[in-house]
Amino acid sequence: ADLSRFLKPSQFGWIQILNPEVFGALITVNNRDEWIYHVTYNPSNGESPEDFSEERCCEILKKAIGVSSLDIVIFSILPWAAAEQTATRFQDNRVFLIGDAAHLMPPTGGFGSNTGIQDAHNLAWKLAAVIHKQAHPRLLQTYHDERHYAVELTTKYASDLLFSVIKKGVSTLNSMDHTAVTVGYKYNSTAIIKENSDTPHRMDQLEL
C-alpha cells in the first residue's frame, strides 16, 4: 500500500504501533509502497501462523495504520521466531564462527550486523598475521577469548529489549547504555597488555 502521503516529509526505518486493537512493528522496504509488518502470536494460547489468513492480515494492517480504505496487496505471510543463542565456542581447530553462525539475537536494538562485523574485524587481522607468519597461531585462540563475552552480553541485551517490550515491563538490563553495548566492549585475552587497574571494565555504561 502506498503510505507516502502519510509520511511526507518524514521517513523512518522501524516504528512500533500500539493501540487498543493491534500491537506490532512496521518496517519500511522503500518508504513508499512496500512494507513489512510484524505481529506476535502466542502458541501457548492455541494460536498458530495458520490463523493469519490474507483477509485477517489486511484487517490488522488497516487497524495498525488507522485507515480502513487502504488498497492493500499482500506479497507473503511468513512466521518466524525470535531467538537468543551464543555458540559455546567460536573456534574449533581450523573452523571459526562469526556472525549468525556464532550468535543469534532478536532484531531489537539493531545489534546483529554490528556484532557480526565486529567478529569479522577481530578475526581478519589475526588470520592475516598468522598466514603471513607475522604472528604465532596461538594468536587465533584470542578470537574466542575476546569476542565471546561481548557477544553473549549483546545477545542477552537484544533479547531482553524484545521481551520487555512485549510484556511492557521493566527488565534488569534496561539500565544498560545502548551505545555502550554497541561500542563499549573491552577485550581481555593473552594478546592484551592489561592496564594497571583493579576496577573491572563495565559494558553497561560509557566511560568518557
Side-chain angles (χ1 to χ4, degrees):
D2 188 354
L3 305 183
S4 57
R5 66 186 185 275
F6 304 123
L7 299 176
K8 292 180 179 179
S10 302
Q11 292 189 342
F12 65 85
W14 180 94
I15 186 169
Q16 182 178 311
I17 298 176
L18 173 62
N19 65 46
E21 295 185 282
V22 295
F23 174 73
L26 186 66
I27 302 171
T28 180
V29 175
N30 63 9
N31 253 304
R32 189 179 67 256
D33 60 354
E34 293 185 17
W35 309 85
I36 300 169
Y37 186 70
H38 289 274
V39 62
T40 61
Y41 67 93
N42 191 342
S44 63
N45 291 339
E47 300 171 348
S48 72
E50 287 71 29
D51 297 331
F52 292 88
S53 64
E54 189 167 313
E55 181 180 3
R56 184 186 177 195
C57 287
C58 283
E59 290 303 313
I60 291 173
L61 290 168
K62 290 175 182 179
K63 291 176 181 178
I65 297 166
V67 180
S68 60
S69 59
L70 274 179
D71 184 16
I72 297 174
V73 176
I74 294 181
F75 294 157
S76 65
I77 303 169
L78 299 172
W80 69 277
E84 173 211 325
Q85 190 172 14
T86 303
T88 305
R89 293 182 297 165
F90 286 2
Q91 177 191 2
D92 187 359
N93 294 317
R94 292 169 58 86
V95 177
F96 295 88
L97 302 180
I98 69 170
D100 290 349
H103 41 76
L104 298 175
M105 65 186 75
T108 37
F111 298 111
S113 294
N114 287 337
T115 310
I117 291 168
Q118 291 159 6
D119 294 342
H121 177 271
N122 185 280
L123 181 60
W125 71 268
K126 295 174 180 177
L127 278 172
V130 172
I131 289 170
H132 292 291
K133 301 189 184 307
Q134 297 169 335
H136 192 280
R138 282 196 302 269
L139 177 65
L140 296 175
Q141 297 174 9
T142 66
Y143 167 63
H144 170 88
D145 297 338
E146 294 177 3
R147 288 299 300 153
H148 192 266
Y149 172 75
V151 165
E152 198 169 37
L153 185 66
T154 303
T155 56
K156 287 180 180 178
Y157 181 60
S159 182
D160 218 56
L161 283 178
L162 173 66
F163 291 106
S164 65
V165 169
I166 292 174
K167 297 175 182 177
K168 306 177 186 65
V170 177
S171 160
T172 56
L173 297 180
N174 283 167
S175 60
M176 297 178 69
D177 186 285
H178 193 95
T179 306
V181 175
T182 304
V183 297
Y185 52 88
K186 183 177 181 180
Y187 295 143
N188 182 25
S189 75
T190 55
I192 304 295
I193 299 175
K194 296 182 180 180
E195 298 176 355
N196 294 324
S197 173
D198 295 329
T199 303
H201 176 71
R202 300 179 61 179
M203 283 182 61
D204 59 345
Q205 64 184 30
L206 288 177
E207 296 177 3
L208 302 178

